[in-house]
Every structure is written in structure tokens, then in C-alpha cells.
């Protein structure tokens, strides 16, 4: 692996009445994969660090860690608080080293969430937005506000303190994942879609809404929204003009029917929405094709679709996942069917990441990024240094998220086992059996 260079008429009201400020009954939701859209969660936290990455933690030599701990768990002391859910919908918090576990509250919509399978994610890649990882919810740093996708497919905001739930998409619309949000929750971004068609269901409309923290609409636009900047001043959204220019994915490769409705429902390019007004194109379809053909020279441009995207912490870069929706054959030995690329948003230039079948990815608050691939590997690219292998054999742990701590000193590979990897020295790893399903990694109170 080589080192990389650094390179309208508005819809019905969004806040659905009658759903707020009520205690939710426990439910056992099924995560439906309809037309390739899959529920998921958010990518790694983008909180700017307050500690020096890799700095020595306070000694805690007498703490052995949770049962089954392997590695120097004392180094995780002071590395922030992990929030996670259990099958009953309760939200827990504990220190990264496993200390001080406590129950924060309960929200029925978090109960019995099924993780998307690898097959589901590949099916989703043929259509619209795939969330960058498989977490079912994200919790704000106040450990009360919960961003999630409900059991009936709506992006929503809940509160543990009173059990309330507020839907953020109109009735009859669904979302591919939870809301995206600014670091302080002051700006929310939601992608919604509607289904129709016979005999096969297809996406007939895709719309995104940007709201303030109270639910008041700031903007609406066609196409999917992928991310909101940490400061809330911009959002990364689909560019429908690029979708129309590229045209639809031709029918015939899919036995279940057409993948979507109109061409502008597909993401073939990206633009930035700016809160101070207007849009700015940041990635065109020609560049998507150029970048993809560095790994698959013979790729048919008509099949190339952007399915995931994430803004970098400085707002100057984005990481995108592009798939060839018309690819056929054995993905393990045949032509490349997916590409991960880092985009310079000022230049509109995409730099491919050399990884076979890329999957999960995240930026680090301190610079650099990490990703997983189809070979069962997790890789970390520090700032201005060669890539380093974090872990192999990921499938054995069922990894569904790769998340940095609030300071960028550690990376967590979350699965059946939680494996912590020190960013400045990947040979230092700590692991213990997962106590639940990861929701967020937030700073300790007062930091």
C-alpha cells in the first residue's frame, strides 16, 4: 500500500404532532432494507481534541478492566466516556477503561436494534445513501439528546430525560439513517425518500431538510444530505445537476426492478450548502469517473454512484465511497466494485485510497483518517506518515463502526469485541467484550 498525497414547494410540516413528550413503550423494531436503503448510524465524532494525542493517561494500575480485558487498560483512563445501548433500549455510560458504568435512561425506539449485515450494506450501495457505519443511534455530549432512525424508518430526535421523540421527516417519508448534526446540536440535516411503483418498489422522490435545533426548517433541497459540519455553517449534499447529467443506471443488471426513479435521485456529484446562502459545487461527475477509473479502467460511467460521504473536521476535505452499481462477477477476485477517496473541497479533486472493497471510514480530530476493507483489515493513515495496519481478521469481531476518541488519541473498532488502538502507536491495543451497542464517544464532563 502506498502513502497518499494530502492532497419548490415545501413538503408538509416536519415535526409530526402527537409524537413528542411521551413515554415510549418498548418495541422490537425490524430494520428494513427496502430498495437498498439501510438504516445505520453516524461516523466518528468530530470533536476537536483537548489533550495531546497519545499523551500518558493517569495511572490506574490496580484496575484490571472489565472481565476479559486484554492489553494495558490503564492507558484508557481519562480517554472520554462511551455511551451505548442494550437490547431493552436503555442507554448506559462508562469510562473508556470500563469503569463507572451507569444507566442514563431509556428510550423504547432503541430496543433490540439489528445491525445491518454486510449483504444489506452491499445491496444499499446500489441505490442512495449508505450511512458511514452501522450504529443505530448517536448521543449528544449532554448524554440526553438522542439522534436515531425510528423503527418505522423516520429520522428523529429523542430525549432520555422525558422519553420524548420528535420525527424530522413528513408522514409517509423514510430516512436511510439518523439525522446528521452540528457538534452542539444547533443544526440538523435529514435525508428522506418516498417509495412507489409496481410490481417493484422504487424510490420516487428524495429530499433533504436542514433544520435548527428546535426543528425550524432552514432549507430544503432535492437529493440526499450526507453530513453537517461541526460548526453547523455548511452541509455536504447531493448535486442533482450532476445526477441528471450522468443519467440513470440502466435497467437490466438488477433482477428486482429499476434501482431508483429519476436520475437526480442518484448522487453522482456533491455540493456544499452554506448557511450564509447558496451552494458551492465540490465534486463533479467527471472527477468521480476519473478517480474510479484509477482502480477500474474499464468501468462504465453510467453505473458509478456516490453512496457515502463524510466531512473532515477542518471542513476542507471529505471522504467519499463510490460504487459501481453495474459491476458483475466475483467481487473478491474480479474487477474493483468500490472506491474510497479523499476529496479536496477547494479543488474538487478526489485522491483514491488504495483499498479493496472499502467499507467503514472516519476522520481523526488530529488529522489523518482510518478505514476498513474487504480483506478484513483496518488501516490508519496518520498525518504525513505511511499507512499503518490497525487490525486484521475484523470479520471475527463483527466490526460495525470505527470511531476516534474526542481527542484523536485512540481509535475504537466496535463489534462483539471493543478493540481500542492507540493512534500514535497501533501496536498498543486494548480489548474487552462489548457491553452493548456503541452510540457515541464523548469527552468527560468538564473537559
Amino acid at each position: 500500500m502506498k502513502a497518499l498525497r494530502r492532497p419548490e414547494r415545501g413538503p408538509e410540516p416536519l415535526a409530526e404532532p402527537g409524537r413528542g413528550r411521551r413515554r415510549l413503550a418498548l418495541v422490537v423494531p425490524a430494520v428494513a432494507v427496502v430498495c437498498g436503503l439501510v438504516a445505520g448510524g453516524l461516523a466518528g465524532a468530530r470533536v476537536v481534541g483537548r489533550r495531546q494525542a497519545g499523551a500518558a493517561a493517569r495511572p490506574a494500575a490496580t484496575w484490571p478492566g472489565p472481565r476479559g480485558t486484554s492489553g494495558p487498560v490503564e492507558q484508557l483512563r481519562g480517554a472520554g466516556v462511551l455511551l451505548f445501548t442494550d437490547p431493552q433500549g436503555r442507554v448506559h455510560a462508562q469510562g473508556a477503561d470500563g469503569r463507572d458504568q451507569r444507566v442514563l435512561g431509556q428510550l423504547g425506539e432503541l430496543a433490540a436494534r439489528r445491525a445491518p449485515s454486510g449483504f444489506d450494506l452491499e445491496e444499499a450501495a446500489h441505490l442512495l445513501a449508505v450511512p458511514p457505519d452501522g450504529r443505530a443511534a448517536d448521543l449528544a455530549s449532554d448524554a440526553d439528546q438522542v439522534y436515531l432512525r425510528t423503527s418505522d424508518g423516520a429520522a428523529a430526535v429523542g430525549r432520555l430525560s422525558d422519553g420524548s421523540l420528535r420525527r424530522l421527516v413528513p408522514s409517509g417519508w423514510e430516512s436511510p439513517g439518523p439525522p446528521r448534526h452540528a457538534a452542539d446540536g444547533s443544526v440538523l440535516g435529514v435525508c428522506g425518500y418516498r417509495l412507489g411503483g409496481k410490481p417493484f418498489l422504487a424510490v420516487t422522490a428524495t429530499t433533504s431538510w436542514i433544520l435548527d435545533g428546535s426543528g425550524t426548517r432552514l432549507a430544503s433541497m432535492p437529493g440526499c444530505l450526507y453530513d453537517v459540519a461541526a460548526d453547523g455553517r455548511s452541509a455536504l449534499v447531493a448535486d442533482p445537476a450532476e445526477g441528471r447529467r450522468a443519467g440513470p443506471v440502466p435497467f437490466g443488471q438488477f433482477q428486482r426492478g429499476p434501482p431508483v426513479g429519476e436520475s437526480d435521485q442518484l448522487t453522482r456529484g456533491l455540493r456544499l450548502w452554506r448557511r450564509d446562502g447558496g451552494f458551492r459545487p465540490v465534486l463533479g461527475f467527471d472527477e468521480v469517473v476519473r478517480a474510479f477509473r484509477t482502480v477500474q479502467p474499464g468501468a462504465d460511467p453510467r453505473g458509478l454512484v456516490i453512496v457515502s460521504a463524510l466531512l473532515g473536521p477542518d471542513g476542507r476535505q471529505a471522504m467519499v465511497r463510490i460504487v459501481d452499481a453495474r459491476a458483475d462477477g466475483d467481487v473478491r477476485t474480479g474487477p474493483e466494485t468500490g472506491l474510497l477517496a479523499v476529496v479536496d473541497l477547494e479543488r474538487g479533486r478526489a485522491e483514491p485510497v488504495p483499498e479493496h472493497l472499502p467499507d467503514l471510514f472516519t476522520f481523526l480530530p488530529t488529522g489523518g483518517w482510518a478505514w476498513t476493507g474487504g480483506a478484513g483489515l483496518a488501516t490508519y493513515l496518520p498525518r504525513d506518515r505511511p499507512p499503518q495496519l490497525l487490525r486484521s481478521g475484523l470479520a471475527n469481531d463483527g466490526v460495525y463502526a470505527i470511531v476516534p476518541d474526542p481527542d484523536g488519541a485512540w481509535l475504537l473498532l466496535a463489534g462483539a469485541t471493543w478493540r481500542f488502538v492507540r493512534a500514535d502507536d497501533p501496536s498498543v491495543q486494548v480489548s474487552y467484550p462489548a457491553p452493548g451497542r456503541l452510540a457515541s464517544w464523548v469527552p468527560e464532563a468538564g473537559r
Side-chain angles (χ1 to χ4, degrees):
M1 182 177 293
K2 62 181 180 181
L4 302 180
R5 298 190 300 275
R6 294 283 160 195
E8 63 210 282
R9 202 170 83 184
E12 54 263 55
L14 300 183
E16 196 171 278
R19 293 295 299 265
R21 303 191 63 82
R22 63 182 175 85
R23 180 63 61 179
L24 297 173
L26 285 178
V27 294
V28 183
V31 180
V33 181
V34 181
C35 283
L37 287 157
V38 62
L42 306 179
R46 293 165 297 173
V47 181
V48 176
R50 297 177 176 85
R51 286 187 295 128
Q52 182 70 25
R58 298 189 300 273
T62 58
W63 170 242
R67 183 185 298 272
T69 294
S70 174
V73 68
E74 68 278 0
Q75 293 194 25
L76 289 173
R77 189 173 186 188
V81 176
L82 291 162
L83 309 177
F84 58 93
T85 63
D86 67 18
Q88 287 72 48
R90 292 177 298 224
V91 178
H92 304 249
Q94 71 172 38
D97 63 353
R99 288 177 180 262
D100 305 322
Q101 186 176 140
R102 58 199 183 279
V103 177
L104 301 176
Q106 185 158 7
L107 195 64
E109 283 287 352
L110 297 174
R113 290 279 171 170
R114 180 179 67 85
S117 72
F119 175 78
D120 290 339
L121 291 174
E122 287 309 308
E123 286 295 300
H126 289 305
L127 294 180
L128 298 179
V130 180
D133 67 31
R135 283 180 286 167
D138 183 33
L139 272 81
S141 57
D142 64 4
D144 180 42
Q145 189 153 272
V146 186
Y147 307 98
L148 72 157
R149 180 181 185 267
T150 65
S151 57
D152 61 352
V157 177
R159 287 194 176 277
L160 296 177
S161 55
D162 60 11
S164 65
L165 185 73
R166 184 184 53 179
R167 293 170 57 104
L168 299 178
V169 297
S171 178
W173 291 70
E174 298 184 41
S175 300
R180 306 294 299 180
H181 59 91
D184 61 0
S186 60
V187 176
L188 305 175
V190 181
C191 175
Y193 63 92
R194 298 183 73 169
L195 297 172
K198 292 181 179 180
F200 302 103
L201 281 176
V203 175
T204 58
T206 307
T207 300
S208 292
W209 298 276
I210 300 177
L211 320 167
D212 67 15
S214 69
T216 300
R217 186 194 306 169
L218 301 176
S220 62
M221 63 208 69
C224 258
L225 177 146
Y226 289 86
D227 203 7
V228 172
D231 59 10
R233 295 180 181 177
S234 62
L236 192 63
V237 299
D239 188 341
E242 294 298 296
R244 288 189 291 269
R245 190 170 72 85
V249 174
F251 176 66
Q253 200 87 351
F254 302 96
Q255 298 304 312
R256 299 174 187 160
V260 292
E262 302 299 323
S263 303
D264 58 7
Q265 308 304 318
L266 291 167
T267 302
R268 321 299 278 275
L270 296 169
R271 56 182 178 164
L272 275 181
W273 169 84
R274 298 179 295 190
R275 189 168 184 176
D276 59 3
F279 295 89
R280 179 168 66 85
V282 293
L283 181 63
F285 183 62
D286 287 343
E287 182 65 6
V288 168
V289 174
R290 183 205 65 80
F292 199 92
R293 283 181 166 175
T294 63
V295 297
Q296 179 48 260
D300 183 344
R302 299 175 300 169
L304 302 184
V305 183
I306 297 170
V307 295
S308 312
L310 181 68
L311 279 169
D314 60 3
R316 298 175 183 174
Q317 292 180 316
M319 193 172 291
V320 303
R321 182 174 172 227
I322 305 164
V323 301
D324 181 356
R326 288 179 56 80
D328 198 6
D330 190 332
V331 297
R332 295 168 297 179
T333 59
E336 292 291 336
T337 60
L339 173 71
L340 189 63
V342 178
V343 180
D344 183 322
L345 298 180
E346 291 297 325
R347 298 170 55 229
R349 184 78 171 176
E351 181 74 17
V353 173
E355 178 61 65
H356 179 57
L357 299 179
D359 189 9
L360 309 174
F361 54 89
T362 189
F363 283 95
L364 272 68
T366 53
W369 49 85
W371 66 88
T372 66
L377 306 177
T379 305
Y380 163 51
L381 183 68
R383 186 188 296 274
D384 302 323
R385 284 192 285 163
Q388 300 183 56
L389 181 65
L390 297 177
R391 173 71 172 156
S392 61
L394 291 181
N396 297 330
D397 287 342
V399 171
Y400 57 84
I402 179 168
V403 183
D405 81 338
D407 299 317
W410 293 85
L411 279 163
L412 169 58
L413 304 177
T417 296
W418 284 3
R419 184 172 300 276
F420 303 83
V421 184
R422 210 169 76 184
D424 66 344
D425 183 2
S427 67
V428 178
Q429 300 190 13
V430 180
S431 65
Y432 51 77
R437 187 151 184 92
L438 180 68
S440 300
W441 195 346
V442 301
E444 293 183 341
R447 293 189 64 87

